[in-house]
Amino acid sequence: AARVPPEPRPPLRRCSLECCRCDDVQHELPPASADARVAAVANYIAARRAELARQSQRELQRRKAEIAEEKRKQEQDQKRKQAAADARKRKREREDELIRLQLEERHERLREKERARLR
């Protein structure tokens, strides 16, 4: 059975007003001076847009602060890890030096015993 391709959908028509779901692309608000109710709607739309812009700005600032905090934490963690690695390295160096000194003392004692035996 051959598949029949679906018919292409007509382009989605949208009203020129945000949030309006009508199909009329010519739909526009009358001028605010025409009616107090229209002015009230226009004021509401302007206030809502301003509030959304403020919310968006606050969210952007909050996200920037989160990113900066995360970066600061990562840097602190990296510094802490590096400090721990440096401390381990210094400890190994001290232990190696102690072992070297102990071996030197042991060799010196053996040499002294050998010298004493040969006398």
Side-chain angles (χ1 to χ4, degrees):
R3 287 185 59 191
V4 176
E7 289 186 27
R9 294 182 181 170
L12 182 63
R13 293 175 47 191
R14 291 193 50 131
C15 175
S16 62
L17 299 176
E18 287 183 40
C19 303
C20 183
R21 301 286 185 226
C22 79
D23 231 6
D24 183 4
V25 292
Q26 303 292 323
H27 187 190
E28 291 182 4
L29 283 178
S33 60
D35 187 343
R37 292 177 297 175
V38 173
V41 169
N43 288 339
Y44 170 78
I45 290 171
R48 183 68 181 140
R49 284 184 179 160
E51 177 59 26
L52 291 174
R54 285 190 298 274
Q55 286 176 0
S56 178
Q57 190 63 28
R58 283 192 302 263
E59 179 62 23
L60 180 63
Q61 294 300 322
R62 185 189 64 76
R63 185 68 185 126
K64 283 182 180 179
E66 284 177 356
I67 290 169
E69 178 66 15
E70 184 63 30
K71 184 177 179 181
R72 185 188 66 76
K73 285 181 179 180
Q74 287 175 351
E75 288 171 354
Q76 281 183 334
D77 193 41
Q78 185 63 31
K79 286 179 184 177
R80 183 185 54 75
K81 287 178 181 179
Q82 186 62 46
D86 292 345
R88 285 190 302 273
K89 181 180 177 184
R90 287 191 303 273
K91 182 180 177 186
R92 274 192 312 274
E93 289 170 353
R94 285 191 309 269
E95 289 171 348
D96 290 349
E97 181 65 16
L98 181 61
I99 290 170
R100 187 186 65 74
L101 290 173
Q102 288 171 344
L103 285 173
E104 284 179 6
E105 287 177 12
R106 183 184 222 184
H107 286 300
E108 187 60 35
R109 283 194 308 264
L110 288 173
R111 279 189 231 124
E112 288 295 323
K113 282 184 180 180
E114 186 63 26
R115 282 188 217 135
R117 189 181 66 81
L118 292 175
R119 290 185 201 161

